[in-house]
Amino acid sequence: MEGVHYDVGDVVRLRKAHPCGSSEWQITRTGMDFGLKCAGCGHFVMMPRKKFERMAKEIVKKANNA
């Protein structure tokens, strides 16, 4: 998903599922590193942008940033 714009609050589906079984994550921080919160169990991880962009499959829900 190169060239896609991600916003804080977006929900994305990653290629690998979390051990809790969920593959959907909410973006809590953007920049050089992405902060992600698991939609299943609430676990928080930080991931470098390059790795995140490789692992992201699709945006499930866009954030309502008005």
Side-chain angles (χ1 to χ4, degrees):
M1 289 184 68
E2 303 293 334
V4 177
H5 181 74
Y6 300 101
D7 292 313
V8 172
D10 288 354
V11 177
V12 294
R13 182 169 292 129
L14 299 183
R15 297 194 184 281
K16 289 179 88 175
H18 190 249
C20 75
S22 176
S23 59
E24 294 184 1
W25 296 78
Q26 182 177 15
I27 299 173
T28 58
R29 179 184 189 277
T30 59
M32 282 302 293
D33 294 321
F34 274 70
L36 303 169
K37 181 179 168 187
C38 179
C41 65
H43 184 77
F44 180 79
V45 296
M46 292 291 288
M47 185 181 297
R49 175 181 283 274
K50 198 163 194 87
K51 182 176 181 181
F52 172 80
E53 288 179 344
R54 277 197 317 264
M55 290 187 68
K57 263 172 99 171
E58 63 180 325
I59 297 174
V60 177
K61 186 180 129 201
K62 281 299 273 180
N64 275 343
N65 294 339

